[in-house]
mmCIF file of all heavy atoms in Angstrom:
data_model
loop_
_atom_site.group_PDB
_atom_site.id
_atom_site.type_symbol
_atom_site.label_atom_id
_atom_site.label_comp_id
_atom_site.label_asym_id
_atom_site.label_seq_id
_atom_site.Cartn_x
_atom_site.Cartn_y
_atom_site.Cartn_z
ATOM 1 N N MET Y 55 79.244 100.389 85.690
ATOM 2 C CA MET Y 55 78.074 99.708 85.112
ATOM 3 C C MET Y 55 77.373 100.592 84.072
ATOM 4 O O MET Y 55 77.489 101.836 84.136
ATOM 5 C CB MET Y 55 77.028 99.399 86.247
ATOM 6 C CG MET Y 55 77.602 98.307 87.264
ATOM 7 S SD MET Y 55 76.301 97.865 88.379
ATOM 8 C CE MET Y 55 77.169 96.807 89.509
ATOM 9 N N ILE Y 62 68.889 95.735 83.694
ATOM 10 C CA ILE Y 62 69.686 94.692 82.998
ATOM 11 C C ILE Y 62 69.829 93.528 84.040
ATOM 12 O O ILE Y 62 69.614 92.384 83.690
ATOM 13 C CB ILE Y 62 71.080 95.195 82.616
ATOM 14 C CG1 ILE Y 62 70.866 96.169 81.459
ATOM 15 C CG2 ILE Y 62 71.909 94.078 82.247
ATOM 16 C CD1 ILE Y 62 72.236 96.950 81.136
ATOM 17 N N LEU Y 63 70.073 93.838 85.354
ATOM 18 C CA LEU Y 63 70.263 92.838 86.306
ATOM 19 C C LEU Y 63 68.975 92.057 86.545
ATOM 20 O O LEU Y 63 68.989 90.795 86.592
ATOM 21 C CB LEU Y 63 70.732 93.438 87.677
ATOM 22 C CG LEU Y 63 70.823 92.392 88.804
ATOM 23 C CD1 LEU Y 63 71.964 91.373 88.577
ATOM 24 C CD2 LEU Y 63 71.114 93.236 90.166
ATOM 25 N N ALA Y 64 67.780 92.738 86.764
ATOM 26 C CA ALA Y 64 66.612 92.168 87.024
ATOM 27 C C ALA Y 64 66.204 91.191 85.859
ATOM 28 O O ALA Y 64 65.795 89.979 86.122
ATOM 29 C CB ALA Y 64 65.460 93.101 87.040
ATOM 30 N N HIS Y 66 68.329 89.712 83.772
ATOM 31 C CA HIS Y 66 69.323 88.610 83.710
ATOM 32 C C HIS Y 66 69.044 87.586 84.710
ATOM 33 O O HIS Y 66 69.014 86.385 84.492
ATOM 34 C CB HIS Y 66 70.688 89.268 83.966
ATOM 35 C CG HIS Y 66 71.762 88.202 83.808
ATOM 36 N ND1 HIS Y 66 72.158 87.503 82.722
ATOM 37 C CD2 HIS Y 66 72.692 87.763 84.821
ATOM 38 C CE1 HIS Y 66 73.184 86.725 82.958
ATOM 39 N NE2 HIS Y 66 73.480 86.832 84.225
ATOM 40 N N LEU Y 67 68.733 88.036 85.973
ATOM 41 C CA LEU Y 67 68.354 87.030 87.033
ATOM 42 C C LEU Y 67 67.084 86.312 86.842
ATOM 43 O O LEU Y 67 66.891 85.130 87.220
ATOM 44 C CB LEU Y 67 68.267 87.831 88.390
ATOM 45 C CG LEU Y 67 69.600 88.513 88.934
ATOM 46 C CD1 LEU Y 67 69.357 89.129 90.197
ATOM 47 C CD2 LEU Y 67 70.716 87.482 88.970
ATOM 48 N N ASP Y 70 68.143 83.571 84.044
ATOM 49 C CA ASP Y 70 69.312 82.707 84.308
ATOM 50 C C ASP Y 70 69.296 82.186 85.747
ATOM 51 O O ASP Y 70 69.665 82.891 86.680
ATOM 52 C CB ASP Y 70 70.584 83.493 83.985
ATOM 53 C CG ASP Y 70 71.804 82.635 83.988
ATOM 54 O OD1 ASP Y 70 71.906 81.701 84.746
ATOM 55 O OD2 ASP Y 70 72.748 82.916 83.258
ATOM 56 N N GLN Y 71 68.897 80.951 85.943
ATOM 57 C CA GLN Y 71 68.785 80.402 87.266
ATOM 58 C C GLN Y 71 70.060 80.312 87.979
ATOM 59 O O GLN Y 71 70.244 80.468 89.211
ATOM 60 C CB GLN Y 71 68.123 78.961 87.141
ATOM 61 C CG GLN Y 71 66.679 78.976 86.812
ATOM 62 C CD GLN Y 71 65.996 77.695 86.870
ATOM 63 O OE1 GLN Y 71 66.658 76.624 86.805
ATOM 64 N NE2 GLN Y 71 64.657 77.674 86.934
ATOM 65 N N GLU Y 72 71.178 79.959 87.255
ATOM 66 C CA GLU Y 72 72.539 79.832 87.886
ATOM 67 C C GLU Y 72 72.909 81.235 88.389
ATOM 68 O O GLU Y 72 73.477 81.319 89.477
ATOM 69 C CB GLU Y 72 73.560 79.411 86.854
ATOM 70 C CG GLU Y 72 73.912 77.884 86.866
ATOM 71 C CD GLU Y 72 74.922 77.332 86.000
ATOM 72 O OE1 GLU Y 72 75.970 78.039 86.006
ATOM 73 O OE2 GLU Y 72 74.776 76.475 85.251
ATOM 74 N N ALA Y 73 72.729 82.221 87.575
ATOM 75 C CA ALA Y 73 73.095 83.567 88.013
ATOM 76 C C ALA Y 73 72.247 84.007 89.230
ATOM 77 O O ALA Y 73 72.786 84.607 90.141
ATOM 78 C CB ALA Y 73 72.902 84.601 86.908
ATOM 79 N N ALA Y 74 70.928 83.653 89.208
ATOM 80 C CA ALA Y 74 70.110 84.030 90.341
ATOM 81 C C ALA Y 74 70.597 83.314 91.641
ATOM 82 O O ALA Y 74 70.620 83.931 92.652
ATOM 83 C CB ALA Y 74 68.744 83.569 90.041
ATOM 84 N N ALA Y 75 71.082 82.046 91.552
ATOM 85 C CA ALA Y 75 71.559 81.353 92.700
ATOM 86 C C ALA Y 75 72.860 82.010 93.167
ATOM 87 O O ALA Y 75 73.132 82.145 94.421
ATOM 88 C CB ALA Y 75 71.806 79.886 92.357
ATOM 89 N N GLU Y 76 73.710 82.375 92.256
ATOM 90 C CA GLU Y 76 75.022 82.960 92.617
ATOM 91 C C GLU Y 76 74.738 84.368 93.279
ATOM 92 O O GLU Y 76 75.421 84.656 94.288
ATOM 93 C CB GLU Y 76 75.852 83.263 91.368
ATOM 94 C CG GLU Y 76 77.290 83.833 91.620
ATOM 95 C CD GLU Y 76 78.002 84.218 90.332
ATOM 96 O OE1 GLU Y 76 77.462 83.888 89.211
ATOM 97 O OE2 GLU Y 76 79.148 84.682 90.425
ATOM 98 N N TRP Y 77 73.784 85.067 92.742
ATOM 99 C CA TRP Y 77 73.430 86.432 93.397
ATOM 100 C C TRP Y 77 72.861 86.208 94.776
ATOM 101 O O TRP Y 77 73.180 86.975 95.713
ATOM 102 C CB TRP Y 77 72.416 87.104 92.477
ATOM 103 C CG TRP Y 77 72.010 88.460 92.966
ATOM 104 C CD1 TRP Y 77 70.902 88.766 93.747
ATOM 105 C CD2 TRP Y 77 72.729 89.693 92.941
ATOM 106 N NE1 TRP Y 77 70.852 90.097 94.082
ATOM 107 C CE2 TRP Y 77 72.026 90.661 93.616
ATOM 108 C CE3 TRP Y 77 73.912 90.023 92.349
ATOM 109 C CZ2 TRP Y 77 72.405 92.025 93.582
ATOM 110 C CZ3 TRP Y 77 74.336 91.404 92.440
ATOM 111 C CH2 TRP Y 77 73.602 92.333 93.080
ATOM 112 N N ALA Y 78 72.031 85.204 95.030
ATOM 113 C CA ALA Y 78 71.377 84.884 96.270
ATOM 114 C C ALA Y 78 72.538 84.596 97.301
ATOM 115 O O ALA Y 78 72.359 84.979 98.473
ATOM 116 C CB ALA Y 78 70.451 83.822 96.167
ATOM 117 N N GLU Y 79 73.564 83.882 96.854
ATOM 118 C CA GLU Y 79 74.622 83.565 97.771
ATOM 119 C C GLU Y 79 75.593 84.581 98.157
ATOM 120 O O GLU Y 79 75.985 84.796 99.291
ATOM 121 C CB GLU Y 79 75.354 82.246 97.146
ATOM 122 C CG GLU Y 79 76.686 81.876 97.885
ATOM 123 C CD GLU Y 79 76.417 81.384 99.302
ATOM 124 O OE1 GLU Y 79 75.310 80.982 99.668
ATOM 125 O OE2 GLU Y 79 77.383 81.446 100.056
ATOM 126 N N THR Y 80 76.021 85.322 97.135
ATOM 127 C CA THR Y 80 77.120 86.337 97.319
ATOM 128 C C THR Y 80 76.767 87.755 97.145
ATOM 129 O O THR Y 80 77.601 88.656 97.475
ATOM 130 C CB THR Y 80 78.324 86.001 96.355
ATOM 131 O OG1 THR Y 80 77.874 86.159 95.023
ATOM 132 C CG2 THR Y 80 78.787 84.537 96.582
ATOM 133 N N GLN Y 81 75.624 88.009 96.515
ATOM 134 C CA GLN Y 81 75.186 89.381 96.115
ATOM 135 C C GLN Y 81 76.225 89.924 95.082
ATOM 136 O O GLN Y 81 76.349 91.143 94.947
ATOM 137 C CB GLN Y 81 75.124 90.343 97.297
ATOM 138 C CG GLN Y 81 74.139 89.936 98.367
ATOM 139 C CD GLN Y 81 72.720 90.099 97.851
ATOM 140 O OE1 GLN Y 81 72.200 91.204 97.690
ATOM 141 N NE2 GLN Y 81 72.028 89.054 97.609
ATOM 142 N N LYS Y 82 76.831 89.031 94.383
ATOM 143 C CA LYS Y 82 77.795 89.437 93.324
ATOM 144 C C LYS Y 82 77.594 88.432 92.150
ATOM 145 O O LYS Y 82 77.074 87.375 92.400
ATOM 146 C CB LYS Y 82 79.206 89.300 93.781
ATOM 147 C CG LYS Y 82 79.654 90.220 94.981
ATOM 148 C CD LYS Y 82 79.899 91.593 94.539
ATOM 149 C CE LYS Y 82 80.322 92.462 95.685
ATOM 150 N NZ LYS Y 82 80.565 93.865 95.304
ATOM 151 N N LEU Y 83 78.074 88.823 90.939
ATOM 152 C CA LEU Y 83 78.025 87.944 89.836
ATOM 153 C C LEU Y 83 79.403 87.959 89.143
ATOM 154 O O LEU Y 83 79.959 89.036 88.882
ATOM 155 C CB LEU Y 83 76.926 88.357 88.762
ATOM 156 C CG LEU Y 83 75.497 88.269 89.143
ATOM 157 C CD1 LEU Y 83 74.638 88.863 88.071
ATOM 158 C CD2 LEU Y 83 75.122 86.851 89.402
ATOM 159 N N ARG Y 84 79.953 86.771 88.949
ATOM 160 C CA ARG Y 84 81.282 86.687 88.294
ATOM 161 C C ARG Y 84 81.220 87.316 86.887
ATOM 162 O O ARG Y 84 82.144 87.919 86.405
ATOM 163 C CB ARG Y 84 81.745 85.275 88.257
ATOM 164 C CG ARG Y 84 83.166 85.106 87.741
ATOM 165 C CD ARG Y 84 83.653 83.650 87.929
ATOM 166 N NE ARG Y 84 83.720 83.308 89.321
ATOM 167 C CZ ARG Y 84 84.866 83.541 90.076
ATOM 168 N NH1 ARG Y 84 85.862 84.117 89.515
ATOM 169 N NH2 ARG Y 84 84.880 83.173 91.281
ATOM 170 N N ASP Y 85 80.127 87.073 86.220
ATOM 171 C CA ASP Y 85 79.933 87.570 84.832
ATOM 172 C C ASP Y 85 78.685 88.520 84.883
ATOM 173 O O ASP Y 85 77.589 88.163 84.410
ATOM 174 C CB ASP Y 85 79.773 86.446 83.886
ATOM 175 C CG ASP Y 85 79.734 86.879 82.471
ATOM 176 O OD1 ASP Y 85 80.237 88.036 82.205
ATOM 177 O OD2 ASP Y 85 79.204 86.180 81.550
ATOM 178 N N ASP Y 86 78.931 89.694 85.437
ATOM 179 C CA ASP Y 86 77.836 90.648 85.605
ATOM 180 C C ASP Y 86 77.504 91.378 84.366
ATOM 181 O O ASP Y 86 78.382 92.146 83.872
ATOM 182 C CB ASP Y 86 78.193 91.631 86.786
ATOM 183 C CG ASP Y 86 77.004 92.447 87.246
ATOM 184 O OD1 ASP Y 86 76.112 92.778 86.431
ATOM 185 O OD2 ASP Y 86 77.018 92.697 88.456
ATOM 186 N N PRO Y 87 76.254 91.208 83.719
ATOM 187 C CA PRO Y 87 76.011 91.914 82.484
ATOM 188 C C PRO Y 87 75.863 93.343 82.585
ATOM 189 O O PRO Y 87 75.860 94.090 81.563
ATOM 190 C CB PRO Y 87 74.642 91.302 82.019
ATOM 191 C CG PRO Y 87 74.018 90.858 83.346
ATOM 192 C CD PRO Y 87 75.188 90.448 84.354
ATOM 193 N N ARG Y 88 75.759 93.970 83.754
ATOM 194 C CA ARG Y 88 75.646 95.443 83.986
ATOM 195 C C ARG Y 88 77.020 96.135 83.812
ATOM 196 O O ARG Y 88 77.075 97.262 83.492
ATOM 197 C CB ARG Y 88 75.137 95.702 85.393
ATOM 198 C CG ARG Y 88 73.865 95.203 85.674
ATOM 199 C CD ARG Y 88 73.562 95.372 87.166
ATOM 200 N NE ARG Y 88 74.419 94.622 88.075
ATOM 201 C CZ ARG Y 88 74.449 94.722 89.386
ATOM 202 N NH1 ARG Y 88 73.646 95.571 89.995
ATOM 203 N NH2 ARG Y 88 75.255 94.007 90.038
ATOM 204 N N VAL Y 89 78.119 95.290 83.965
ATOM 205 C CA VAL Y 89 79.483 96.004 83.987
ATOM 206 C C VAL Y 89 79.971 96.114 82.533
ATOM 207 O O VAL Y 89 80.026 95.155 81.862
ATOM 208 C CB VAL Y 89 80.386 95.130 84.775
ATOM 209 C CG1 VAL Y 89 81.775 95.762 84.837
ATOM 210 C CG2 VAL Y 89 79.911 94.945 86.246
ATOM 211 N N ARG Y 94 85.033 96.718 83.860
ATOM 212 C CA ARG Y 94 85.699 95.474 84.321
ATOM 213 C C ARG Y 94 87.168 95.774 84.645
ATOM 214 O O ARG Y 94 87.652 95.320 85.706
ATOM 215 C CB ARG Y 94 85.669 94.360 83.287
ATOM 216 C CG ARG Y 94 84.238 93.821 83.078
ATOM 217 C CD ARG Y 94 84.300 92.579 82.181
ATOM 218 N NE ARG Y 94 82.898 92.273 81.788
ATOM 219 C CZ ARG Y 94 81.972 91.759 82.462
ATOM 220 N NH1 ARG Y 94 82.205 91.490 83.765
ATOM 221 N NH2 ARG Y 94 80.783 91.541 82.004
ATOM 222 N N ARG Y 97 87.209 97.716 88.005
ATOM 223 C CA ARG Y 97 86.913 96.759 89.143
ATOM 224 C C ARG Y 97 88.129 95.851 89.444
ATOM 225 O O ARG Y 97 88.508 95.622 90.550
ATOM 226 C CB ARG Y 97 85.727 95.964 88.874
ATOM 227 C CG ARG Y 97 84.377 96.798 88.965
ATOM 228 C CD ARG Y 97 83.179 95.905 88.713
ATOM 229 N NE ARG Y 97 81.974 96.636 89.154
ATOM 230 C CZ ARG Y 97 80.896 96.032 89.692
ATOM 231 N NH1 ARG Y 97 80.894 94.762 89.866
ATOM 232 N NH2 ARG Y 97 79.914 96.776 90.065
ATOM 233 N N SER Y 155 84.951 88.796 96.300
ATOM 234 C CA SER Y 155 83.736 88.250 95.727
ATOM 235 C C SER Y 155 83.697 86.731 95.576
ATOM 236 O O SER Y 155 82.700 86.135 95.208
ATOM 237 C CB SER Y 155 83.477 88.892 94.404
ATOM 238 O OG SER Y 155 83.288 90.251 94.517
ATOM 239 N N GLY Y 194 89.776 87.812 93.654
ATOM 240 C CA GLY Y 194 88.269 87.811 93.916
ATOM 241 C C GLY Y 194 87.592 89.099 93.402
ATOM 242 O O GLY Y 194 86.513 89.357 93.793
ATOM 243 N N SER Y 195 88.336 89.937 92.550
ATOM 244 C CA SER Y 195 87.703 91.164 92.107
ATOM 245 C C SER Y 195 87.004 90.944 90.699
ATOM 246 O O SER Y 195 87.669 90.551 89.708
ATOM 247 C CB SER Y 195 88.781 92.266 91.965
ATOM 248 O OG SER Y 195 89.838 91.892 91.157
ATOM 249 N N TYR Y 196 85.777 91.103 90.638
ATOM 250 C CA TYR Y 196 84.989 91.101 89.405
ATOM 251 C C TYR Y 196 83.686 91.816 89.512
ATOM 252 O O TYR Y 196 83.364 92.294 90.683
ATOM 253 C CB TYR Y 196 84.685 89.622 88.885
ATOM 254 C CG TYR Y 196 84.205 88.741 89.967
ATOM 255 C CD1 TYR Y 196 82.831 88.554 90.175
ATOM 256 C CD2 TYR Y 196 84.930 87.852 90.667
ATOM 257 C CE1 TYR Y 196 82.225 87.758 90.996
ATOM 258 C CE2 TYR Y 196 84.412 86.941 91.517
ATOM 259 C CZ TYR Y 196 83.024 86.883 91.702
ATOM 260 O OH TYR Y 196 82.483 86.001 92.648
#
Side-chain angles (χ1 to χ4, degrees):
M55 295 184 181
I62 293 171
L63 176 64
H66 183 66
L67 296 181
D70 188 325
Q71 289 184 343
E72 261 186 50
E76 182 184 1
W77 180 261
E79 169 64 19
T80 64
Q81 298 293 289
K82 300 279 184 182
L83 292 176
R84 186 173 294 276
D85 188 20
D86 194 325
R88 300 172 295 172
V89 182
R94 290 189 196 286
R97 288 180 164 214
S155 299
S195 58
Y196 51 83

